[in-house]
Amino acid sequence: VRAPRDGRVVFARDYEGFGLLLIIDHGNEYHSLLSGLSRFVVHEGWAVRAGQMVGTLEPGSEAVGRLYVELRRRGVPVDPLAWFVAAQDKVRS
């Protein structure tokens, strides 16, 4: 599992009902939440770059092996599609 954008890991722990939960602060009041991870490869306080590996995902129980991704702005869930697309470098021929 890779970081969707640059940011800082603000939460990387087990969270009741979510299993292993990773929260990345991307600035401008945006946070991404990733759960369903099998293990973390980053720790709270670490800076991460877009595309950097932050955890692993392995088949398993219902809570593990299914990645859940949520983008929040000011604590409110938002549609992440435009935000993710805007961050990608386009390949041009």
Side-chain angles (χ1 to χ4, degrees):
V1 177
R2 300 184 181 276
R5 289 185 98 174
D6 295 352
R8 181 162 305 279
V9 177
V10 295
F11 190 94
R13 291 179 247 151
D14 189 48
Y15 190 77
E16 189 175 339
F18 284 88
L20 294 183
L21 176 64
L22 182 71
I23 302 176
I24 303 172
D25 180 348
H26 301 287
N28 294 323
E29 301 182 74
Y30 280 100
H31 293 84
S32 58
L33 289 73
L34 302 116
S35 71
L37 300 166
S38 303
R39 71 180 179 94
F40 301 121
V41 297
V42 295
H43 297 282
E44 290 179 17
W46 285 22
V48 295
R49 303 286 299 181
Q52 178 181 338
M53 188 173 180
V54 294
T56 62
L57 185 68
E58 298 171 14
S61 69
E62 191 173 306
V64 176
R66 290 187 173 171
L67 182 64
Y68 173 81
V69 178
E70 182 173 297
L71 176 66
R72 290 179 170 242
R73 181 146 198 244
R74 298 183 182 139
V76 177
V78 296
D79 182 356
L81 185 59
W83 188 75
F84 288 143
V85 171
Q88 293 179 357
D89 291 331
K90 305 290 188 240
V91 176
R92 294 181 180 94
S93 55

